[in-house]
């Protein structure tokens, strides 16, 4: 207290005039009290006071935001009551809708694209001239979750078989698979007991896609998981829109048979978003939505179905696993040959650094998915919404 | 995948490129100065037809009667007008192969093609081209302007065998158009006199390293370095090496430079006579000064 008094005395000394001393003091006090209000919280040096001011500002902002939302809601209600058109709904800005479209996005009326599809390496499988036959193998040193993943992968991909790698070179394995009329070769690479890469080689003449595999979750680690049946699955490919995505999508499509068994209600989803391909495996069922009375009857195990004025079809999903994420690293022309091969596409780091709003595999609204689906789009459009709601 | 590209400089646009692809289409890509050098496809010639995929292309860029030649997968060499894409003539390259009756165009496709730039003394000739198949059969054929649609239009032609084994992957003709260079997988670079159809020089493998391990030859691209000197050639290998040969002094490379880790797929010389530009299988481009071997 004494120190404070000493400090105050020199402050009082500079103002001149004894008669005006009190008035000047009062005038000085009032501006000091008003100044802290517009001052930014980050300029306050006392931590507790700074925290209080910051919390107060945040509270005011939240209240204002809530007030604006309430006003918008009331305006919409008022417009509905008066029979007017409701005010325009604001669209939030996200990474997806501010993305610039890539120049290689496939157009639905591109005749050259269709001619290219007829001439590419996957045409024999996709036109059902050849039954897809997949050979799965591993890297040389394979342990950990790799075998379990391969076992589940064999249940996902029909007509696939697993052959031990042994000490053979991959070029010899390609020759072996070609001699036995395989259409694809899948190599699961394991690093430190964890599968981390997937190599898909289309036979007999390529191309070769090298994916990075991450976020692998096996079936036993998924809660309430289902066990897949042996029906041929339906295939859902989302957002493979650019030329590169189109090519990768056709390659993935050539692993699966082209006539799915709809009775099995089994679906395999490859969802592409921001250059990552998300794999999911589900079993679905379509149900009629019931009201309370029906649910009571359901509890009583009554099999009668009452007709209600409002019926709504919903789709319930059960995940069968596995669940993983792929990212394309290289797409090579021809079969696997790291030394002499020619690459169609190589992932390079500056693609992501310089143009962060551009990705190589671009995404577009759902209208374009009909280009890549092997069966009728109307069937899949009902599937897309529940799947995407889960994935996003 | 785009197979080859021929760049033509004169004309209104600063850059005009003719590109070909595996569907048999020929696209004209132009870059103008107004939209800051953005290149785009302005024209597409031909219909998409996979059996007529383009394997090689060559452009005779001259002031009078420029001609573009494309070698297709079914063994036909077509001559087109590079200004509007009009087909001038079509020659079946397999017509001259009477002796090996069992071979077909599918088993032995055309690997290289070069259209001679010089004007023939006879003004009735449309153009003369040099073509080579993968198994080493080389042809020099002329096409007349009259009766261009029939095979009888082929003028005087000659053929010879470049090699008996291996696969021919590239060829190059010097600026004076008197000498041709061939190379490929299992084939050393060799120099031929087009007039007399004789081999005048052949490369030799470099010496083995300290373990006496030799590498099999696999040449993927090559070009003549100078316009006025046909004795200096640059050849690139599948083992990502750029080699400079001097055919007047020795048979081994004078300079050998390594570049990254991908096979070198294309090479082109600079008009100044001592620099080359290369492209690799991973999409990298580089420029080499062949006097010092520096990038």
């Amino acid at each position: 207290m004494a120190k404070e008094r000493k400090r105050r005395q020199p402050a009082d000394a500079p103002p001149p005039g004894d008669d005006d001393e009190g008035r000047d003091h009062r005038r000085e006090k009032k501006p000091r009290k008003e100044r802290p209000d517009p001052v930014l919280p980050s300029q306050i040096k006392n931590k507790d006071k700074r925290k209080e001011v910051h919390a107060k500002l945040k509270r005011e902002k939240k209240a204002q935001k809530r007030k604006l939302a309430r006003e918008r809601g009331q305006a919409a209600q008022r417009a509905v009551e008066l029979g007017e058109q409701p005010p325009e709904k604001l669209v939030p800005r996200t990474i997806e809708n501010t993305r610039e479209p890539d120049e290689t996005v496939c157009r639905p009326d591109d005749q050259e694209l269709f001619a290219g599809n007829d001439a590419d390496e996957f045409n024999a499988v996709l036109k059902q001239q050849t039954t897809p036959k997949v050979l799965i193998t591993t890297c040389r040193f394979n342990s950990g979750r790799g075998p379990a993943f391969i076992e589940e992968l064999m249940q996902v991909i029909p007509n696939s078989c697993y052959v031990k790698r042994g000490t053979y070179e991959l070029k010899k394995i390609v020759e072996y698979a070609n001699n036995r009329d395989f259409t694809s070769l899948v190599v699961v690479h394991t690093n430190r007991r964890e599968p981390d890469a997937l190599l898909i080689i289309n036979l007999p003449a390529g191309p070769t896609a090298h994916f990075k595999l991450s976020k692998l979750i096996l079936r036993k680690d998924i809660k309430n998981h289902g066990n897949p049946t042996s029906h041929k699955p339906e295939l859902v490919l989302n957002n493979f829109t650019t030329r590169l995505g189109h090519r990768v999508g056709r390659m993935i499509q050539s692993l699966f048979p082209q006539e799915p068994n709809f009775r099995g209600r089994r679906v395999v989803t490859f969802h592409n978003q921001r250059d990552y391909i998300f794999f999911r495996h589900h079993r679905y069922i379509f149900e009629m939505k019931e009201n309370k009375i029906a649910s009571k009857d359901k509890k009583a195990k009554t099999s009668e179905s009452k007709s209600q004025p409002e019926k709504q079809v919903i789709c319930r999903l059960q995940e069968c696993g596995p669940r993983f994420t792929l990212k394309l690293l290289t797409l090579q022309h021809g079969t696997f040959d790291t030394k002499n091969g020619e690459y169609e596409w190589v992932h390079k780091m500056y693609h992501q650094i310089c143009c962060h709003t551009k990705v190589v595999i671009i995404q577009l609204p759902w209208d374009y998915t009909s280009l890549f689906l092997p069966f009728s789009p109307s069937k899949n459009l009902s599937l897309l919404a529940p799947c995407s709601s889960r994935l996003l | 995948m785009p197979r080859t590209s021929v760049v033509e400089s004169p004309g209104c646009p600063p850059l005009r490129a003719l590109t070909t692809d595996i569907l048999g289409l020929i696209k004209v890509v132009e870059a103008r100065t107004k939209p800051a050098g953005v290149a785009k496809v302005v024209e597409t010639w031909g219909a998409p037809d996979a059996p007529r995929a383009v394997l090689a292309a060559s452009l005779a860029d001259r002031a009078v009667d420029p001609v573009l030649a494309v070698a297709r997968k079914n063994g036909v060499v077509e001559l087109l007008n590079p200004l509007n894409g009009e087909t001038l003539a079509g020659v079946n390259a397999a017509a001259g192969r009477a002796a090996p009756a069992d071979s077909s165009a599918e088993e032995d496709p055309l690997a290289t093609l070069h259209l001679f730039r010089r004007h023939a003394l006879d003004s009735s000739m449309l153009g003369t081209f040099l073509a080579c198949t993968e198994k080493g059969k080389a042809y020099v054929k002329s096409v007349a302007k009259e009766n261009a649609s029939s095979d009888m239009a082929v003028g005087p032609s000659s053929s010879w065998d470049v090699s008996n084994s291996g696969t021919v992957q590239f060829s190059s003709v010097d600026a004076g158009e008197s000498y041709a260079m061939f190379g490929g997988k299992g084939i050393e670079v060799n120099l031929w006199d087009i007039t007399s159809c004789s081999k005048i020089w052949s490369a030799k493998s470099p010496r083995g390293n300290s373990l006496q391990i030799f590498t099999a030859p696999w040449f993927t691209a090559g070009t003549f370095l100078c316009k006025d000197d046909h004795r200096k050639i640059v050849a690139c290998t599948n083992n990502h090496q750029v080699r400079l040969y001097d055919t007047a002094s020795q048979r081994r490379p004078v300079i050998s430079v390594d570049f990254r880790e991908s096979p070198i797929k294309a090479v082109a010389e600079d008009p100044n006579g001592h620099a080359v530009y290369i492209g690799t299988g991973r999409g990298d481009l580089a420029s080499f000064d062949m006097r010092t071997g520096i990038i």
Side-chain angles (χ1 to χ4, degrees), chain B residues 117 173-179 224 226-228 230:
Chain B
R117 187 177 302 252
V173 178
D174 69 326
E177 295 182 335
S178 303
Y179 302 94
F224 287 85
C226 312
K227 281 188 174 179
D228 49 355
H230 67 273

Side-chain angles (χ1 to χ4, degrees), chain A residues 345-370:
Chain A
W345 186 83
V346 175
H347 176 72
K348 292 177 178 176
M349 192 55 68
Y350 58 81
H351 277 157
Q352 293 186 339
I353 292 178
C354 298
C355 318
H356 68 279
T357 55
K358 287 187 177 180
V359 291
V360 183
I361 307 177
I362 300 294
Q363 317 177 26
L364 279 181
W366 307 115
D367 308 347
Y368 285 82
T369 55
S370 58

Side-chain angles (χ1 to χ4, degrees), chain A residues 11-36:
Chain A
D12 292 339
D18 297 336
D19 294 334
D20 297 335
E21 185 175 0
R23 292 182 181 178
D24 289 341
H25 191 64
R26 289 180 183 178
R27 287 177 184 174
E28 286 178 356
K29 281 187 178 179
K30 290 181 180 179
R32 284 182 181 175
K33 289 183 179 178
E34 293 173 1
R35 282 178 186 173

Side-chain angles (χ1 to χ4, degrees), chain A residues 2 4 9 13 98 136 138 141 218 258 302 322 339 349 373 381:
Chain A
E4 290 179 0
Q9 286 175 4
T98 56
I136 302 179
T138 60
F141 311 104
L218 298 175
Q258 303 303 303
T302 307
K339 195 168 185 181
M349 192 55 68
L373 298 173
L381 284 179

